[in-house]
Amino acid sequence: MRGRTPAGRWGQVGDLVGALVAALRRPGAAEVVVSDLLDAPLALASKVGATSVVRADDPAGPGEADITIEASGSPAGLRTCLERVRRAGRVVLLGLLPPGEVGFLGNVVVTRELTLAGAFRFDREFDEALALLADGLPVDPVVTHTFPLERATEAFDVAGNRAVASKVLLDLS
């Protein structure tokens, strides 16, 4: 998202990108709640600054948020964001949904007067990310594995398992 981080209660669903969304708290979000189906990403989100975490399959849920960010790229994640944002709230789609048509709760958007925004990562975010890193954003917990280049195949296998890995690095030295 471009611009200043508005204060308020933020909710987020899924993926490692979701764990990094906890960084929103640094520039001003009053609360950042991260939701995921797996415990490992939730533990990471706590380590990098989420104020609370909740399993996405918990029927009680985290309550309503002022802004929700769908970072998993799953239709179920989008549904969760639409259902858990407050009336007249904002839903940001960051995760890329599968190709083709995806069922969409258009009536919920209209009757709850929601604002939808797409945010394509990989534009100016690299500069912002570097500035956050220089400012001391805690990312060490996010790097779960490091492999030498000659074990690249194993590194990719581990990286594909969200239950055990977050960010997997290849050491080129």
Side-chain angles (χ1 to χ4, degrees):
M1 288 196 24
R2 309 217 187 281
R4 190 176 71 74
T5 302
R9 187 164 199 254
W10 286 63
Q12 183 282 318
V13 174
D15 196 291
L16 169 66
V17 173
L20 296 178
V21 170
L24 288 168
R25 185 149 186 246
R26 293 178 67 92
E31 184 178 4
V32 177
V33 180
V34 175
S35 174
D36 200 293
L37 288 170
L38 299 173
D39 293 329
L42 294 176
L44 282 172
S46 293
K47 288 179 183 177
V48 297
T51 51
S52 60
V53 296
V54 64
R55 286 201 39 124
D57 54 1
D58 179 349
E64 290 188 336
D66 299 307
I67 298 170
T68 58
I69 299 172
E70 199 304 299
S72 70
S74 75
L78 175 57
R79 179 182 190 96
T80 298
C81 284
L82 291 171
E83 292 173 342
R84 292 187 178 168
V85 70
R86 69 167 169 77
R87 181 177 187 78
R90 181 178 182 96
V91 177
V92 178
L93 284 77
L94 180 62
L96 296 175
L97 292 166
E101 292 187 26
V102 173
F104 182 70
L105 301 176
N107 286 343
V108 172
V109 174
V110 172
T111 59
R112 296 190 63 223
E113 300 177 310
L114 303 179
T115 299
L116 300 179
F120 185 66
R121 54 190 188 238
F122 311 125
D123 183 21
R124 293 179 289 189
E125 292 78 12
F126 285 112
D127 292 334
E128 294 169 20
L130 289 173
L132 285 168
L133 289 169
D135 192 37
L137 179 69
V139 295
D140 289 343
V142 176
V143 178
T144 57
H145 298 81
T146 302
F147 290 89
L149 183 58
E150 52 275 359
R151 292 177 53 202
T153 301
E154 181 183 354
F156 279 97
D157 289 341
V158 169
N161 184 348
R162 289 187 60 234
V164 299
S166 180
K167 285 297 183 191
V168 176
L169 302 181
L170 286 174
D171 184 349
L172 304 178
S173 60

